[in-house]
Amino acid sequence: MNLDAAVAAAAAIAGVCTGVIAMLAFRWSERDQARPTRSSLHTDAVLPPGVDTVLSVLRSSAVVLDEADAVVKASSAAYALGLVRGGKLAVEPMLQMARDTRRDGEIRQVELDLPRRGTGRGDALAVSARVAPLGSRLVLLLVEDLTEARRIEAVRRDFVANVSHELKTPVGALSLLSEAVMDASDDPEAVTRFAGRMQIEATRLTNLVQELIDLSRVQYDDPLEDSEPVRVDELVAEAVDRCRQSAASKQITMATGGTAELHVWGNRGQLAAALGNLVENAVNYSPARTRVGIAARRVAAPGGDLIEIAVTDQGIGISEKDRERVFERFYRVDPARSRATGGTGLGLSIVKHVAASHGGEVTVWSAEGQGSTFTLRLPEAGAARDRERPRPGDSPDEPVGETFAGEHLPLPGVRP
């Protein structure tokens, strides 16, 4: 009996000890899980309340660093810019700024030029970095991409410089020619010659001022305010008529074709000016006794059908490096030829802005010595399209339009 009681007491003591040990182990496990670790520092739980939400709506790239310089939080834009790699801030100047701010609590800001990753291009990525303390242990880094802003500022600066130069040239010429006329007042032949030159410079100055006005208008006016369905064949006929005299003087054949009865929606005046500029450029840069073709067709696109108007010439062509800049203001592929033809360097820039403001685009295909094809793509006027029946030429397998002498024009953007 005493032996049984002793066994029972020993079993009870063992059970109590086991329970105590289990309870201590459970408490120790809870305390160990609550202790912050290196991995837990990288979760959203260490961010102050509301910070994660604020960072998600910022336009700037955001990176939050802990006391060990590890990335706690980074926006997708920060990864896209290459600021964060492998859980670390990859830009050493920014990392040093973060360490200095963590040490003294001061807000710092600096502008940096960073190399572009994976593009193979030599141009730099301009950014503005601002570092500020976030609580007692974290540091917040905000990075804003200034590349596009700097590019626009450079374009504006170049535009002002180019406008000043372009206006100064004819104005200076008029001033010198007027002095020459005064000095040659007793020589009727010289007066006639100088007066002719003055007329040329005055015309150039008038054209430049008018194109500056046109460029300003297409940049800031809303073409939809005065929009209407515009027949493409009427735009083509107007552009051809505008350049008929200059083409005839060089014995250049103006060939039109493509799908008939196409309509685009927009400002008639702006669209006519844009297409007229393309045709005028084609004539000016084509050798004598060549051909300039204008063809239009409808093409399917995910957002709705587009109307393509292609202007093809057999001129000198454009090199690859120049093709990237031909739509810039005042940029000339051949400055000497442009001045000889009275070009201002604004025509293609106007075309680009007109196309963009109408929801379209303008592209160029060219090869040196083989000519160029400028293609203007614009959304089709839906109401006009719905009223039309399918016409010959709408199928890509059918010939599109005919030129003079019965030859077929190539499809827009397709070289023979």
Side-chain angles (χ1 to χ4, degrees):
M1 188 66 178
N2 291 336
L3 181 60
D4 293 338
V7 172
I13 293 173
V16 171
C17 292
T18 302
V20 171
I21 294 174
M23 183 178 62
L24 291 176
F26 178 75
R27 292 291 180 86
W28 182 268
S29 176
E30 281 188 334
R31 187 174 62 178
D32 187 64
Q33 290 179 0
R35 181 184 305 162
T37 63
R38 173 59 59 88
S39 59
S40 67
L41 287 174
H42 290 221
T43 65
D44 294 342
V46 300
L47 292 176
V51 172
D52 191 15
T53 303
V54 173
L55 295 182
S56 65
V57 298
L58 287 178
R59 296 180 60 183
S60 304
S61 303
V63 181
V64 179
L65 304 176
D66 63 11
E67 66 271 15
D69 293 333
V71 175
V72 176
K73 178 73 176 181
S75 63
S76 58
Y79 287 98
L81 290 178
L83 303 180
V84 178
R85 293 195 301 272
K88 294 288 186 180
L89 186 62
V91 183
E92 184 59 33
M94 296 181 186
L95 187 59
Q96 186 60 47
M97 288 173 57
R99 292 168 179 169
D100 294 340
T101 296
R102 187 184 299 110
R103 185 180 63 253
D104 55 26
E106 292 186 4
I107 299 176
R108 289 173 168 81
Q109 184 168 352
V110 68
E111 292 188 1
L112 301 170
D113 291 333
L114 308 178
R116 292 181 183 268
R117 291 179 51 82
T119 62
R121 297 186 298 177
D123 52 341
L125 186 71
V127 298
S128 174
R130 184 178 179 86
V131 180
L134 185 64
S136 59
R137 296 185 297 108
L138 304 180
V139 173
L140 173 63
L141 171 66
L142 296 177
V143 180
E144 184 177 357
D145 188 357
L146 303 179
T147 307
E148 184 64 15
R150 284 193 181 181
R151 188 192 67 80
I152 294 175
E153 181 61 30
V155 169
R156 289 176 178 172
R157 186 170 56 250
D158 293 342
F159 177 69
V160 172
N162 288 330
V163 166
S164 302
H165 173 74
E166 295 294 336
L167 290 175
K168 182 179 179 180
T169 300
V171 169
L174 287 172
S175 177
L176 292 175
L177 288 169
S178 63
E179 293 179 4
V181 169
M182 293 177 61
D183 295 338
S185 57
D186 56 347
D187 186 352
E189 183 180 348
V191 170
T192 302
R193 185 173 67 256
F194 292 143
R197 288 294 306 167
M198 291 176 68
Q199 288 183 339
I200 294 175
E201 295 300 332
T203 301
R204 177 174 295 175
L205 180 60
T206 301
N207 292 339
L208 176 59
V209 172
Q210 184 58 50
E211 291 204 349
L212 285 171
I213 294 173
D214 293 341
L215 179 61
S216 176
R217 182 179 295 116
V218 301
Q219 281 185 291
Y220 299 108
D221 288 358
D222 184 3
L224 298 181
E225 292 182 358
D226 301 317
S227 59
E228 58 179 331
V230 182
R231 290 185 54 169
V232 174
D233 52 358
E234 292 180 358
L235 294 177
V236 173
E238 186 174 338
V240 171
D241 188 64
R242 168 178 167 178
C243 304
R244 192 179 303 278
Q245 184 176 355
S246 57
S249 65
K250 299 173 66 175
Q251 301 180 25
I252 293 177
T253 301
M254 304 285 287
T256 61
T259 306
E261 297 296 331
L262 297 177
H263 293 76
V264 293
W265 187 268
N267 184 292
R268 179 184 179 85
Q270 292 188 11
L271 293 173
L275 184 57
N277 285 343
L278 291 180
V279 176
E280 186 176 13
N281 276 358
V283 172
N284 289 338
Y285 285 90
S286 293
R289 295 179 294 278
T290 56
R291 186 183 68 173
V292 171
I294 307 99
R297 68 169 181 173
R298 179 189 298 117
V299 295
D305 289 352
L306 298 176
I307 302 301
E308 284 190 350
I309 310 173
V311 180
T312 303
D313 63 62
Q314 297 173 324
I316 59 176
I318 306 172
S319 65
E320 183 177 357
K321 66 180 182 66
D322 289 322
R323 285 199 299 272
E324 299 177 357
R325 302 188 59 189
V326 291
F327 296 105
E328 294 181 12
R329 306 168 194 172
F330 294 111
Y331 186 80
R332 297 183 176 95
V333 175
D334 187 348
R337 179 182 289 264
S338 295
R339 294 191 181 277
T341 59
T344 62
L346 290 174
L348 291 179
S349 181
I350 292 175
V351 176
K352 176 183 177 181
H353 284 288
V354 169
S357 64
H358 284 75
E361 64 173 353
V362 59
T363 58
V364 58
W365 177 97
S366 186
E368 293 184 89
Q370 300 183 35
S372 305
T373 296
F374 285 84
T375 303
L376 183 62
R377 295 184 180 89
L378 299 167
E380 183 179 13
R385 181 192 62 221
D386 294 340
R387 291 195 300 267
E388 293 178 5
R389 296 192 305 269
R391 295 176 177 270
D394 286 355
S395 172
D397 297 328
E398 298 181 18
V400 179
E402 292 189 358
T403 70
F404 302 140
E407 297 181 16
H408 288 291
L409 280 177
L411 289 174
V414 179
R415 303 296 299 182

